[in-house]
């Protein structure tokens, strides 16, 4: 009887140890909706990352992501139904970044996982023209000499920038068949250029 009990205890300990150690690493890809600042420039985000658990409730991850935002401002219009010029000013912002996160697992079960993540980032970004002004044919008491309004393009910020910043995220994962997981990631970030971004993305990962 004692041998049976002793053997059961050993087997239980080995099973617990195996569950604790497997799996501890993951690679995942993500893609979804994103927007800048006040939300006037919507777009999308995509990326990939590697994550590893190093404590029961702690993990770290490193990855890269890309983003692109665009919008159009209507500057000119006409009442002529046969002539509709494209009088819009198009704005586009795109870039890539490298991020690192320290994660705290708030919920952890064999199939459900909820993680709060916080970490730094380094971002490269390129943006199109960010401002304009319109001068009417008759302005400031004199005639400009042009039949239509004069549109001046203005650049308030550099086209290409490199910035450092911080990111905060909430990640939920549901594990399918032990090693494949799907999830939802919501987060926000800011950087030294004063840019703020938010994102809501789907994730697909594989544990090993």
């Amino acid at each position: 009887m004692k041998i049976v009990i002793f053997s059961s205890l050993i087997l239980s300990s080995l099973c617990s140890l195996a569950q604790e150690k497997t799996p501890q690493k993951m690679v995942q890809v993500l893609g979804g909706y994103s927007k800048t600042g006040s939300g006037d420039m919507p777009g999308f985000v995509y990326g990939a990352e590697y994550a590893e658990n190093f404590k029961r409730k702690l993990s770290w991850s490193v990855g890269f992501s890309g983003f692109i935002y665009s919008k159009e401002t209507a500057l000119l219009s006409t009442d002529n139904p046969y002539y509709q010029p494209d009088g819009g000013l198009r704005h586009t912002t795109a870039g890539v970044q490298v991020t690192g996160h320290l994660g705290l697992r708030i919920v952890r079960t064999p199939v459900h996982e909820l993680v709060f993540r916080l970490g730094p980032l380094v971002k490269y970004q390129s943006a199109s023209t960010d401002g304009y002004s319109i001068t009417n044919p008759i302005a400031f008491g004199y005639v400009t000499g042009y039949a239509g309004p004069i549109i001046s393009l203005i650049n308030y910020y550099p086209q290409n920038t490199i910035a450092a910043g911080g990111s905060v995220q909430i990640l939920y994962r549901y594990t399918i068949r032990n090693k494949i997981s799907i999830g939802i990631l919501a987060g926000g970030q800011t950087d030294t250029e004063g840019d703020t971004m938010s994102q809501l993305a789907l994730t697909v990962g594989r544990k090993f």
Side-chain angles (χ1 to χ4, degrees), residues 36-86:
T36 62
S38 60
D40 58 341
M41 285 188 69
F44 62 90
V45 62
Y46 58 91
E49 70 173 19
Y50 169 84
E52 184 172 338
N53 300 331
F54 65 94
K55 293 289 185 180
R56 180 174 176 78
K57 291 188 176 182
L58 296 178
S59 65
W60 64 268
S61 63
V62 61
F64 79 92
S65 59
F67 55 87
I68 183 168
Y69 308 99
S70 63
K71 72 173 183 177
E72 183 173 347
T73 302
L75 299 181
L76 301 176
S77 63
T78 177
D79 295 329
N80 187 344
Y82 303 103
Y83 177 65
Q84 293 292 332
D86 184 352

Side-chain angles (χ1 to χ4, degrees), residues 103-123:
L104 172 64
R105 293 196 293 279
I106 303 171
V107 175
R108 184 192 185 194
T109 72
V111 294
H112 300 286
E113 189 175 9
L114 183 64
V115 187
F116 173 79
R117 312 201 307 179
L118 182 69
L121 64 89
V122 177
K123 182 192 73 174

